[in-house]
Amino acid sequence: MTALRWPKSARAACAFTFDLDAETLWMARGISEPVALSQGRFGAVEALPRILDLLRSFEIRASFFVPAWVAERYPDAVKAIVAGGHEVGSHGDEHERVSELDATREETILRRSVEVLTRHAGQRPTGYRAPAWQLSERTLPLLARHGFEYSSNMMDRLAPYLHPEVDGRRLVELPVSWVLDDAPYFLFTGQRAIQSPGPVLQGWITEFDGIVEVGGSAIFTFHPQIIGRPSRFACLRELADHVKRTPRVWTARLDEIGARVREQA
Ligand SMILES: [Zn+2]
């Protein structure tokens, strides 16, 4: 694919994406202890409203990936996300690792995710992000067959691209990276120290600037329960400010970026 053209003669694209895992981030690790789970609840009840306010103030429309379990547990959170003009994408049921599922279970969970999100968000999800960014070799063809438009999982490029055709359909890939994710720096599981927010923010800004330089797509992945703590929320605000002040960057939802890529295919 030749260099992508973005709207308003932008030279690069940027997306703010949030994985609203809530308790499932811990449940998927086999944890049922109440204090550990309460960290997940913080994301849905305490952090999400502030994140939505921040996005509104910067006029950023974002993409939220929500496990089906979370949509059923926090229906008002899904409503608030949709009311803010944001996208709701598919992210498993209880945040199970797709790479560990058999074929039947993987498809059952995908169907349930589509059904639950469609019911709560009022719109069928068109994007898929695998819990913990782990796919099986069946996942991409399965998504294509179930009518998805894009995957936001792979880490092989700085700009979006199209996957090979499956049953007459090609999925758009909107590539991500652990570098632009908050979890590797801040998720605390008792095994290593939490990092200071300042240097992490500087790293994100440098990575963003580099992606803009090559005309790619800077796709940030945040978790409300992680980025929503006040010290990190301050980073999110500074980052949004930096992105919005950078000339000729198109900040959009992943489904909008995906549609733009497909148009040019
Ligand atoms: Zn997740």
Side-chain angles (χ1 to χ4, degrees), residues 18-22 24-25 65 67 91 95 129-133 221 223:
F18 297 85
D19 295 358
L20 185 64
D21 299 332
T24 66
L25 185 140
F65 293 91
H91 195 53
H95 213 267
R129 173 173 290 160
W133 279 327
T221 299
H223 300 77

Side-chain angles (χ1 to χ4, degrees), residues 107 138 140-148 166-167 169:
E107 186 158 17
R138 296 174 298 267
L140 295 176
L142 192 62
L143 294 175
R145 279 199 297 276
H146 280 264
F148 279 81
V166 175
D167 297 342
R169 279 189 63 76

Side-chain angles (χ1 to χ4, degrees), residues 135-194:
L135 304 180
S136 75
E137 64 282 3
R138 296 174 298 267
T139 309
L140 295 176
L142 192 62
L143 294 175
R145 279 199 297 276
H146 280 264
F148 279 81
E149 294 290 335
Y150 74 84
S151 147
S152 182
N153 294 291
M154 304 303 275
M155 306 191 179
D156 48 353
R157 300 290 301 275
L158 292 176
Y161 60 90
L162 284 158
H163 284 286
E165 189 174 304
V166 175
D167 297 342
R169 279 189 63 76
R170 298 184 74 179
L171 280 179
V172 175
E173 182 62 44
L174 298 167
V176 290
S177 163
W178 289 111
V179 176
L180 293 177
D181 184 314
D182 54 0
Y185 308 105
F186 299 135
L187 179 62
F188 182 65
T189 59
Q191 285 168 351
R192 54 175 168 77
I194 293 172

